[in-house]
Short mmCIF file of all heavy atoms in Angstrom, two decimals:
data_model
loop_
_atom_site.label_atom_id
_atom_site.label_comp_id
_atom_site.label_asym_id
_atom_site.label_seq_id
_atom_site.Cartn_x
_atom_site.Cartn_y
_atom_site.Cartn_z
N MET N 101 112.88 71.22 112.16
CA MET N 101 111.53 71.40 112.63
C MET N 101 110.67 70.72 111.57
O MET N 101 110.93 70.84 110.36
CB MET N 101 111.13 72.78 112.65
CG MET N 101 109.64 73.07 112.81
SD MET N 101 109.27 74.86 113.00
CE MET N 101 107.51 74.80 112.98
N LYS N 102 109.68 69.85 112.01
CA LYS N 102 108.84 69.20 111.07
C LYS N 102 107.55 70.07 110.95
O LYS N 102 107.25 70.92 111.86
CB LYS N 102 108.45 67.86 111.42
CG LYS N 102 107.59 67.68 112.69
CD LYS N 102 107.32 66.26 112.88
CE LYS N 102 106.12 66.07 113.82
NZ LYS N 102 105.56 64.85 113.89
N ASP N 103 106.75 69.94 109.89
CA ASP N 103 105.60 70.64 109.55
C ASP N 103 104.61 70.46 110.78
O ASP N 103 104.42 69.28 111.23
CB ASP N 103 104.92 70.18 108.28
CG ASP N 103 105.59 70.86 107.09
OD1 ASP N 103 106.43 71.91 107.28
OD2 ASP N 103 105.41 70.29 105.97
N PRO N 104 103.86 71.53 111.10
CA PRO N 104 102.86 71.40 112.21
C PRO N 104 101.83 70.44 111.60
O PRO N 104 101.48 70.50 110.38
CB PRO N 104 102.35 72.75 112.32
CG PRO N 104 103.32 73.66 111.72
CD PRO N 104 104.08 72.90 110.72
N GLU N 105 101.16 69.67 112.61
CA GLU N 105 100.05 68.89 112.24
C GLU N 105 98.77 69.70 112.08
O GLU N 105 97.89 68.96 111.40
CB GLU N 105 99.94 67.69 113.26
CG GLU N 105 101.21 66.72 113.13
CD GLU N 105 101.05 65.49 114.09
OE1 GLU N 105 99.95 65.29 114.56
OE2 GLU N 105 102.08 64.92 114.35
N THR N 106 98.60 70.65 112.75
CA THR N 106 97.33 71.44 112.81
C THR N 106 97.77 72.92 112.43
O THR N 106 98.81 73.28 112.62
CB THR N 106 96.71 71.40 114.11
OG1 THR N 106 97.40 71.93 115.11
CG2 THR N 106 96.25 70.04 114.40
N GLN N 107 96.65 73.50 111.91
CA GLN N 107 96.85 75.00 111.47
C GLN N 107 95.65 75.70 112.10
O GLN N 107 94.44 75.32 111.73
CB GLN N 107 96.99 75.14 110.00
CG GLN N 107 97.00 76.51 109.48
CD GLN N 107 96.94 76.64 108.08
OE1 GLN N 107 97.27 75.79 107.28
NE2 GLN N 107 96.45 77.78 107.62
N VAL N 108 95.95 76.68 112.71
CA VAL N 108 94.66 77.50 113.28
C VAL N 108 94.39 78.52 112.23
O VAL N 108 95.16 79.10 111.60
CB VAL N 108 95.28 78.33 114.52
CG1 VAL N 108 94.16 79.22 115.09
CG2 VAL N 108 95.77 77.46 115.71
N GLY N 109 93.05 78.54 112.00
CA GLY N 109 92.51 79.59 111.04
C GLY N 109 92.51 79.14 109.52
O GLY N 109 92.55 80.02 108.74
N GLY N 110 92.50 77.93 109.28
CA GLY N 110 92.35 77.45 107.89
C GLY N 110 93.19 76.32 107.52
O GLY N 110 93.92 75.81 108.45
N SER N 111 93.18 76.01 106.29
CA SER N 111 94.06 74.88 105.76
C SER N 111 94.89 75.20 104.55
O SER N 111 95.38 74.26 103.90
CB SER N 111 93.01 73.69 105.34
OG SER N 111 92.17 74.05 104.48
N HIS N 112 95.06 76.38 104.37
CA HIS N 112 95.89 76.87 103.12
C HIS N 112 97.13 76.44 103.06
O HIS N 112 97.85 76.54 101.99
CB HIS N 112 95.60 78.42 102.88
CG HIS N 112 95.72 79.21 104.11
ND1 HIS N 112 94.70 79.39 104.88
CD2 HIS N 112 96.83 79.84 104.60
CE1 HIS N 112 95.17 80.14 106.05
NE2 HIS N 112 96.28 80.46 105.83
N TYR N 113 97.81 76.19 104.16
CA TYR N 113 99.19 75.71 104.20
C TYR N 113 99.32 74.26 104.14
O TYR N 113 100.47 73.65 103.83
CB TYR N 113 99.91 76.34 105.39
CG TYR N 113 99.98 77.76 105.43
CD1 TYR N 113 99.58 78.48 106.59
CD2 TYR N 113 100.45 78.54 104.38
CE1 TYR N 113 99.72 79.88 106.66
CE2 TYR N 113 100.63 79.92 104.40
CZ TYR N 113 100.29 80.55 105.54
OH TYR N 113 100.29 81.96 105.65
N ASN N 114 98.32 73.44 104.75
CA ASN N 114 98.42 72.14 104.83
C ASN N 114 98.71 71.20 103.57
O ASN N 114 99.31 70.22 103.72
CB ASN N 114 97.23 71.48 105.60
CG ASN N 114 97.17 71.98 107.01
OD1 ASN N 114 98.02 72.36 107.67
ND2 ASN N 114 95.81 71.95 107.50
N LYS N 115 98.28 71.80 102.47
CA LYS N 115 98.53 71.01 101.20
C LYS N 115 99.93 71.23 100.72
O LYS N 115 100.31 70.52 99.67
CB LYS N 115 97.52 71.38 100.16
CG LYS N 115 97.71 72.77 99.71
CD LYS N 115 96.57 73.12 98.69
CE LYS N 115 96.80 74.37 98.16
NZ LYS N 115 95.77 74.79 96.98
N MET N 116 100.73 72.03 101.28
CA MET N 116 102.19 72.39 100.61
C MET N 116 103.03 71.28 101.09
O MET N 116 103.04 70.69 102.14
CB MET N 116 102.57 73.63 101.17
CG MET N 116 101.68 74.79 100.78
SD MET N 116 102.22 76.39 101.28
CE MET N 116 101.01 77.56 100.55
N GLN N 117 104.04 70.95 100.28
CA GLN N 117 105.04 69.97 100.54
C GLN N 117 105.90 70.44 101.79
O GLN N 117 106.31 69.63 102.59
CB GLN N 117 106.03 69.78 99.38
CG GLN N 117 105.31 69.24 98.19
CD GLN N 117 104.95 67.69 98.38
OE1 GLN N 117 105.80 67.00 98.99
NE2 GLN N 117 103.81 67.33 97.89
N ILE N 118 106.19 71.81 101.74
CA ILE N 118 106.91 72.35 102.99
C ILE N 118 106.11 73.50 103.45
O ILE N 118 105.93 74.46 102.60
CB ILE N 118 108.37 72.82 102.58
CG1 ILE N 118 109.22 71.61 102.08
CG2 ILE N 118 109.00 73.32 103.76
CD1 ILE N 118 110.47 71.91 101.46
N GLN N 119 105.65 73.49 104.61
CA GLN N 119 104.90 74.63 105.10
C GLN N 119 105.86 75.82 105.28
O GLN N 119 106.94 75.74 105.64
CB GLN N 119 104.17 74.43 106.38
CG GLN N 119 102.97 73.29 106.07
CD GLN N 119 102.13 73.15 107.33
OE1 GLN N 119 101.91 74.16 108.05
NE2 GLN N 119 101.53 72.01 107.45
N PRO N 120 105.33 77.08 104.98
CA PRO N 120 106.06 78.27 105.14
C PRO N 120 106.81 78.42 106.45
O PRO N 120 108.03 78.72 106.50
CB PRO N 120 105.06 79.42 104.96
CG PRO N 120 104.08 78.82 104.07
CD PRO N 120 103.94 77.42 104.49
N VAL N 121 106.17 78.07 107.56
CA VAL N 121 106.80 78.21 108.87
C VAL N 121 107.94 77.30 109.05
O VAL N 121 108.99 77.74 109.62
CB VAL N 121 105.72 77.93 110.06
CG1 VAL N 121 105.23 76.57 110.10
CG2 VAL N 121 106.36 78.37 111.34
N THR N 122 107.88 76.15 108.57
CA THR N 122 108.98 75.14 108.64
C THR N 122 110.22 75.73 107.81
O THR N 122 111.31 75.82 108.24
CB THR N 122 108.59 73.89 107.95
OG1 THR N 122 107.46 73.29 108.68
CG2 THR N 122 109.76 72.81 108.07
N PHE N 123 109.97 76.28 106.52
CA PHE N 123 111.06 76.93 105.76
C PHE N 123 111.68 78.07 106.35
O PHE N 123 112.79 78.26 106.36
CB PHE N 123 110.39 77.18 104.27
CG PHE N 123 111.45 77.90 103.43
CD1 PHE N 123 112.23 77.15 102.75
CD2 PHE N 123 111.47 79.28 103.34
CE1 PHE N 123 113.27 77.55 101.89
CE2 PHE N 123 112.48 79.82 102.46
CZ PHE N 123 113.33 79.01 101.74
N ILE N 124 110.73 79.00 106.90
CA ILE N 124 111.12 80.27 107.58
C ILE N 124 112.07 79.95 108.75
O ILE N 124 113.15 80.55 108.81
CB ILE N 124 110.00 81.05 107.93
CG1 ILE N 124 109.20 81.60 106.61
CG2 ILE N 124 110.37 82.30 108.90
CD1 ILE N 124 107.77 82.00 106.93
N MET N 125 111.74 79.09 109.67
CA MET N 125 112.35 78.88 110.76
C MET N 125 113.83 78.05 110.52
O MET N 125 114.80 78.34 111.03
CB MET N 125 111.56 78.13 111.76
CG MET N 125 110.48 78.96 112.35
SD MET N 125 109.48 78.08 113.62
CE MET N 125 110.56 78.20 114.92
N ALA N 126 113.67 77.06 109.54
CA ALA N 126 114.86 76.25 109.16
C ALA N 126 115.91 77.23 108.55
O ALA N 126 117.09 76.92 108.54
CB ALA N 126 114.51 75.24 108.19
N ASN N 127 115.56 78.26 107.94
CA ASN N 127 116.41 79.15 107.14
C ASN N 127 116.74 80.46 107.98
O ASN N 127 117.43 81.31 107.53
CB ASN N 127 116.01 79.54 105.90
CG ASN N 127 116.14 78.28 104.96
OD1 ASN N 127 117.13 77.94 104.53
ND2 ASN N 127 114.92 77.60 104.76
N ASP N 128 116.25 80.57 109.26
CA ASP N 128 116.41 81.68 110.09
C ASP N 128 116.24 82.94 109.49
O ASP N 128 116.96 83.98 109.51
CB ASP N 128 117.85 81.61 110.57
CG ASP N 128 118.07 82.45 111.86
OD1 ASP N 128 117.13 82.69 112.70
OD2 ASP N 128 119.16 82.98 112.10
N LEU N 129 114.98 83.09 108.75
CA LEU N 129 114.70 84.34 107.95
C LEU N 129 114.17 85.39 109.00
O LEU N 129 113.58 85.10 110.01
CB LEU N 129 113.62 84.01 106.98
CG LEU N 129 114.04 82.97 106.00
CD1 LEU N 129 112.96 82.88 104.89
CD2 LEU N 129 115.26 83.53 105.19
N SER N 130 114.21 86.58 108.52
CA SER N 130 113.79 87.64 109.35
C SER N 130 112.21 87.76 109.30
O SER N 130 111.61 87.12 108.49
CB SER N 130 114.36 88.99 108.86
OG SER N 130 113.75 89.41 107.63
N TYR N 131 111.65 88.66 110.16
CA TYR N 131 110.23 88.87 110.21
C TYR N 131 109.66 89.23 108.80
O TYR N 131 108.80 88.71 108.20
CB TYR N 131 109.82 89.86 111.33
CG TYR N 131 108.32 90.05 111.36
CD1 TYR N 131 107.58 89.23 112.14
CD2 TYR N 131 107.86 91.29 110.83
CE1 TYR N 131 106.16 89.56 112.20
CE2 TYR N 131 106.53 91.50 110.93
CZ TYR N 131 105.73 90.54 111.61
OH TYR N 131 104.33 90.90 111.68
N ALA N 132 110.38 90.20 108.15
CA ALA N 132 109.96 90.76 106.94
C ALA N 132 109.99 89.65 105.85
O ALA N 132 109.09 89.40 104.99
CB ALA N 132 110.78 91.91 106.58
N GLN N 133 111.15 88.88 105.83
CA GLN N 133 111.34 87.89 104.92
C GLN N 133 110.39 86.79 105.02
O GLN N 133 109.86 86.26 104.06
CB GLN N 133 112.79 87.22 105.01
CG GLN N 133 113.87 88.22 104.61
CD GLN N 133 115.22 87.73 104.91
OE1 GLN N 133 115.44 87.13 106.02
NE2 GLN N 133 116.22 87.78 104.15
N GLY N 134 110.12 86.37 106.28
CA GLY N 134 109.15 85.31 106.56
C GLY N 134 107.69 85.79 106.05
O GLY N 134 106.94 84.98 105.56
N ASN N 135 107.31 86.99 106.23
CA ASN N 135 105.95 87.46 105.80
C ASN N 135 105.89 87.46 104.21
O ASN N 135 104.89 86.97 103.68
CB ASN N 135 105.70 88.93 106.32
CG ASN N 135 105.25 88.66 107.69
OD1 ASN N 135 104.44 87.86 108.10
ND2 ASN N 135 105.48 89.76 108.54
N VAL N 136 106.94 87.69 103.60
CA VAL N 136 106.95 87.65 102.16
C VAL N 136 106.69 86.25 101.76
O VAL N 136 105.88 85.97 100.86
CB VAL N 136 108.26 88.13 101.52
CG1 VAL N 136 108.34 87.81 100.03
CG2 VAL N 136 108.54 89.76 101.77
N ILE N 137 107.43 85.34 102.33
CA ILE N 137 107.22 83.89 102.03
C ILE N 137 105.83 83.48 102.28
O ILE N 137 105.07 82.81 101.51
CB ILE N 137 108.24 82.84 102.78
CG1 ILE N 137 109.71 83.36 102.44
CG2 ILE N 137 107.90 81.54 102.64
CD1 ILE N 137 110.03 82.98 101.13
N LYS N 138 105.35 83.83 103.48
CA LYS N 138 103.92 83.46 103.87
C LYS N 138 102.85 83.95 102.91
O LYS N 138 101.97 83.12 102.47
CB LYS N 138 103.71 83.90 105.28
CG LYS N 138 102.29 83.85 105.81
CD LYS N 138 102.15 84.43 107.20
CE LYS N 138 102.08 85.91 107.11
NZ LYS N 138 101.65 86.56 108.35
N TYR N 139 102.88 85.23 102.68
CA TYR N 139 101.85 85.74 101.71
C TYR N 139 101.88 85.32 100.34
O TYR N 139 100.92 85.10 99.70
CB TYR N 139 101.98 87.31 101.79
CG TYR N 139 101.52 87.92 103.16
CD1 TYR N 139 102.38 88.83 103.77
CD2 TYR N 139 100.27 87.62 103.60
CE1 TYR N 139 101.96 89.38 105.04
CE2 TYR N 139 99.94 88.04 104.85
CZ TYR N 139 100.78 88.94 105.62
OH TYR N 139 100.35 89.51 106.84
N VAL N 140 103.27 85.13 99.81
CA VAL N 140 103.23 84.58 98.41
C VAL N 140 102.81 83.13 98.38
O VAL N 140 102.11 82.74 97.38
CB VAL N 140 104.70 84.75 97.89
CG1 VAL N 140 104.82 83.96 96.62
CG2 VAL N 140 105.06 86.20 97.67
N CYS N 141 103.12 82.24 99.41
CA CYS N 141 102.59 80.95 99.45
C CYS N 141 101.09 80.87 99.50
O CYS N 141 100.57 79.87 98.95
CB CYS N 141 103.30 80.24 100.47
SG CYS N 141 105.05 79.91 100.21
N ARG N 142 100.49 81.71 100.01
CA ARG N 142 99.05 81.39 100.38
C ARG N 142 98.12 82.35 99.49
O ARG N 142 96.89 82.05 99.48
CB ARG N 142 98.76 81.82 101.87
CG ARG N 142 98.67 83.25 102.21
CD ARG N 142 98.30 83.42 103.61
NE ARG N 142 97.83 84.84 103.88
CZ ARG N 142 97.57 85.27 105.00
NH1 ARG N 142 97.74 84.60 106.10
NH2 ARG N 142 97.14 86.58 105.10
N TYR N 143 98.55 83.25 98.75
CA TYR N 143 97.61 84.25 98.15
C TYR N 143 96.62 83.57 97.22
O TYR N 143 95.45 83.89 97.18
CB TYR N 143 98.52 85.16 97.22
CG TYR N 143 98.89 84.72 95.80
CD1 TYR N 143 98.03 84.91 94.70
CD2 TYR N 143 99.99 83.93 95.62
CE1 TYR N 143 98.38 84.47 93.53
CE2 TYR N 143 100.35 83.47 94.34
CZ TYR N 143 99.53 83.77 93.35
OH TYR N 143 99.78 83.31 92.03
N ALA N 144 96.95 82.41 96.46
CA ALA N 144 95.94 81.80 95.65
C ALA N 144 94.84 81.11 96.41
O ALA N 144 93.70 80.94 95.84
CB ALA N 144 96.70 80.83 94.66
N ASP N 145 95.14 80.70 97.61
CA ASP N 145 94.13 79.99 98.35
C ASP N 145 93.48 80.80 99.53
O ASP N 145 92.64 80.18 100.27
CB ASP N 145 94.76 78.79 99.02
CG ASP N 145 95.28 77.76 98.03
OD1 ASP N 145 94.51 77.47 97.02
OD2 ASP N 145 96.39 77.27 98.16
N LYS N 146 93.88 81.91 99.64
CA LYS N 146 93.41 82.81 100.85
C LYS N 146 92.88 84.12 100.37
O LYS N 146 91.65 84.35 100.01
CB LYS N 146 94.25 82.88 101.92
CG LYS N 146 93.68 83.50 103.25
CD LYS N 146 94.44 83.16 104.46
CE LYS N 146 93.59 83.72 105.67
NZ LYS N 146 94.37 83.87 106.88
N ASN N 147 93.68 85.10 100.24
CA ASN N 147 93.25 86.56 99.96
C ASN N 147 93.69 87.10 98.62
O ASN N 147 93.53 88.39 98.53
CB ASN N 147 93.84 87.37 101.13
CG ASN N 147 93.25 86.94 102.49
OD1 ASN N 147 92.03 86.60 102.61
ND2 ASN N 147 94.05 87.11 103.51
N GLY N 148 94.06 86.34 97.75
CA GLY N 148 94.36 86.84 96.40
C GLY N 148 95.38 88.04 96.26
O GLY N 148 96.40 88.00 97.00
N ILE N 149 94.76 88.96 95.67
CA ILE N 149 95.66 90.18 95.35
C ILE N 149 96.15 90.89 96.69
O ILE N 149 97.13 91.43 96.87
CB ILE N 149 94.92 91.20 94.48
CG1 ILE N 149 94.89 90.59 93.00
CG2 ILE N 149 95.63 92.58 94.49
CD1 ILE N 149 94.02 91.44 92.06
N GLU N 150 95.32 90.82 97.60
CA GLU N 150 95.59 91.44 98.96
C GLU N 150 96.82 90.87 99.55
O GLU N 150 97.71 91.57 100.03
CB GLU N 150 94.44 91.31 99.93
CG GLU N 150 94.72 91.94 101.30
CD GLU N 150 93.56 91.82 102.32
OE1 GLU N 150 92.49 91.44 101.98
OE2 GLU N 150 93.82 92.13 103.56
N ASP N 151 96.94 89.52 99.55
CA ASP N 151 98.17 88.92 100.01
C ASP N 151 99.45 89.29 99.23
O ASP N 151 100.45 89.41 99.81
CB ASP N 151 98.00 87.39 100.11
CG ASP N 151 97.26 86.89 101.39
OD1 ASP N 151 97.09 87.72 102.28
OD2 ASP N 151 96.90 85.78 101.35
N LEU N 152 99.23 89.41 97.92
CA LEU N 152 100.40 89.78 97.04
C LEU N 152 100.76 91.28 97.42
O LEU N 152 102.00 91.61 97.47
CB LEU N 152 100.09 89.67 95.53
CG LEU N 152 99.92 88.29 95.10
CD1 LEU N 152 99.49 88.23 93.70
CD2 LEU N 152 101.20 87.46 95.27
N GLN N 153 99.80 92.17 97.70
CA GLN N 153 100.05 93.45 98.02
C GLN N 153 100.85 93.59 99.39
O GLN N 153 101.73 94.35 99.56
CB GLN N 153 98.85 94.34 98.11
CG GLN N 153 98.25 94.60 96.73
CD GLN N 153 96.81 95.16 96.77
OE1 GLN N 153 96.07 94.79 97.65
NE2 GLN N 153 96.59 96.11 95.77
N LYS N 154 100.44 92.67 100.25
CA LYS N 154 101.12 92.63 101.54
C LYS N 154 102.54 92.16 101.45
O LYS N 154 103.46 92.70 102.02
CB LYS N 154 100.39 91.67 102.58
CG LYS N 154 99.01 92.09 102.94
CD LYS N 154 98.31 91.07 103.87
CE LYS N 154 96.97 91.52 104.45
NZ LYS N 154 96.33 90.54 105.26
N ALA N 155 102.74 91.12 100.56
CA ALA N 155 104.08 90.61 100.23
C ALA N 155 104.91 91.76 99.78
O ALA N 155 106.08 92.00 100.19
CB ALA N 155 104.14 89.51 99.31
N LYS N 156 104.42 92.54 98.77
CA LYS N 156 105.00 93.70 98.17
C LYS N 156 105.41 94.74 99.19
O LYS N 156 106.53 95.33 99.19
CB LYS N 156 104.08 94.27 97.08
CG LYS N 156 104.78 95.44 96.41
CD LYS N 156 103.88 95.95 95.28
CE LYS N 156 104.47 97.08 94.63
NZ LYS N 156 104.53 98.43 95.43
N GLN N 157 104.52 94.99 100.18
CA GLN N 157 104.74 95.93 101.20
C GLN N 157 106.07 95.61 102.06
O GLN N 157 106.89 96.31 102.29
CB GLN N 157 103.61 96.04 102.06
CG GLN N 157 103.74 97.13 103.20
CD GLN N 157 102.59 97.33 104.09
OE1 GLN N 157 101.79 96.30 104.31
NE2 GLN N 157 102.32 98.53 104.61
N TYR N 158 106.11 94.17 102.36
CA TYR N 158 107.21 93.75 103.18
C TYR N 158 108.60 93.89 102.22
O TYR N 158 109.61 94.19 102.82
CB TYR N 158 106.99 92.46 103.75
CG TYR N 158 106.24 92.50 104.91
CD1 TYR N 158 104.74 92.28 104.94
CD2 TYR N 158 106.78 92.84 106.14
CE1 TYR N 158 104.05 92.35 106.13
CE2 TYR N 158 106.01 92.97 107.30
CZ TYR N 158 104.61 92.77 107.24
OH TYR N 158 103.92 92.81 108.47
N ILE N 159 108.40 93.66 100.96
CA ILE N 159 109.59 93.72 100.18
C ILE N 159 109.99 95.25 100.16
O ILE N 159 111.29 95.49 100.26
CB ILE N 159 109.28 93.22 98.76
CG1 ILE N 159 109.19 91.69 98.75
CG2 ILE N 159 110.35 93.71 97.80
CD1 ILE N 159 108.62 91.14 97.43
N ASP N 160 109.05 96.08 100.09
CA ASP N 160 109.42 97.49 100.08
C ASP N 160 110.04 97.94 101.34
O ASP N 160 110.90 98.84 101.44
CB ASP N 160 108.12 98.42 99.86
CG ASP N 160 107.55 98.31 98.33
OD1 ASP N 160 108.44 97.92 97.47
OD2 ASP N 160 106.42 98.63 98.13
N PHE N 161 109.59 97.42 102.49
CA PHE N 161 110.20 97.65 103.76
C PHE N 161 111.67 97.27 103.83
O PHE N 161 112.60 97.93 104.09
CB PHE N 161 109.57 96.87 104.92
CG PHE N 161 108.13 97.39 105.32
CD1 PHE N 161 107.14 96.51 105.80
CD2 PHE N 161 107.74 98.61 104.99
CE1 PHE N 161 105.97 96.81 106.25
CE2 PHE N 161 106.38 99.04 105.38
CZ PHE N 161 105.55 98.14 105.99
N MET N 162 111.97 96.06 103.17
CA MET N 162 113.27 95.59 103.13
C MET N 162 114.17 96.45 102.21
O MET N 162 115.35 96.79 102.60
CB MET N 162 113.37 94.13 102.74
CG MET N 162 112.78 93.08 103.72
SD MET N 162 113.03 91.42 103.36
CE MET N 162 111.92 91.26 101.88
N ILE N 163 113.66 96.93 101.11
CA ILE N 163 114.38 97.74 100.19
C ILE N 163 114.69 99.00 100.79
O ILE N 163 115.75 99.63 100.79
CB ILE N 163 113.58 97.93 98.88
CG1 ILE N 163 113.48 96.61 98.02
CG2 ILE N 163 114.15 99.06 97.97
CD1 ILE N 163 112.61 96.68 96.90
N ASN N 164 113.75 99.63 101.52
CA ASN N 164 113.96 100.92 102.14
C ASN N 164 114.95 100.90 103.27
O ASN N 164 115.71 101.71 103.50
CB ASN N 164 112.53 101.50 102.66
CG ASN N 164 111.71 101.92 101.59
OD1 ASN N 164 112.08 102.34 100.52
ND2 ASN N 164 110.39 101.88 101.70
N ALA N 165 114.96 99.78 104.01
CA ALA N 165 115.87 99.50 105.06
C ALA N 165 117.38 99.45 104.36
O ALA N 165 118.24 100.16 104.99
CB ALA N 165 115.59 98.26 105.90
N LEU N 166 117.43 98.84 103.28
CA LEU N 166 118.81 98.74 102.56
C LEU N 166 119.17 100.19 102.10
O LEU N 166 120.48 100.50 102.24
CB LEU N 166 118.75 97.71 101.42
CG LEU N 166 118.69 96.35 101.93
CD1 LEU N 166 118.52 95.39 100.77
CD2 LEU N 166 119.95 95.93 102.73
N LEU N 167 118.32 100.92 101.57
CA LEU N 167 118.68 102.24 100.98
C LEU N 167 118.90 103.20 102.21
O LEU N 167 119.68 104.14 101.98
CB LEU N 167 117.32 102.75 100.26
CG LEU N 167 117.10 102.04 98.94
CD1 LEU N 167 115.82 102.59 98.32
CD2 LEU N 167 118.23 102.26 97.99
N ASP N 168 118.28 102.99 103.32
CA ASP N 168 118.59 103.90 104.52
C ASP N 168 119.99 103.59 105.02
O ASP N 168 120.50 104.40 105.79
CB ASP N 168 117.48 103.75 105.55
CG ASP N 168 116.25 104.48 105.08
OD1 ASP N 168 116.23 105.24 104.15
OD2 ASP N 168 115.18 104.04 105.75
N ASP N 169 120.61 102.45 104.88
CA ASP N 169 121.77 102.21 105.45
C ASP N 169 123.00 102.88 104.86
O ASP N 169 123.00 103.45 103.82
CB ASP N 169 122.17 100.64 105.31
CG ASP N 169 121.29 99.89 106.39
OD1 ASP N 169 120.70 100.53 107.20
OD2 ASP N 169 121.26 98.66 106.20
#
């Protein structure tokens, strides 16, 4: 998959060498893993600490899923 030419809702991914969606899909990552990548990649250009907290929440979801197994 090549990077999308347009982005709905801003331009915070367009400046990246590899857009998160391209990386996520090429590596067949789960929903939770994809969200971690997405939020960490964009935090400095979009929602700051809130995006890092969101990434942490998805990491906690993955940790808890592993602990429950």
Side-chain angles (χ1 to χ4, degrees):
M101 174 180 173
K102 69 178 202 170
D103 284 336
E105 292 182 21
T106 60
Q107 177 187 333
V108 176
S111 61
H112 43 277
Y113 298 127
N114 290 339
K115 68 180 184 176
M116 297 179 181
Q117 293 291 321
I118 301 170
Q119 291 190 29
V121 68
T122 304
F123 180 84
I124 291 163
M125 293 182 73
N127 290 283
D128 198 28
L129 299 182
S130 71
Y131 179 78
Q133 291 170 321
N135 277 325
V136 171
I137 298 295
K138 174 182 76 171
Y139 290 127
V140 168
C141 286
R142 78 179 198 186
Y143 84 92
D145 295 316
K146 192 164 182 194
N147 296 322
I149 291 172
E150 181 182 351
D151 277 346
L152 293 176
Q153 290 170 326
K154 289 177 182 181
K156 182 181 177 292
Q157 181 180 34
Y158 279 97
I159 291 170
D160 288 339
F161 291 155
M162 292 186 296
I163 291 169
N164 289 333
L166 290 172
L167 291 174
D168 289 344
D169 284 347

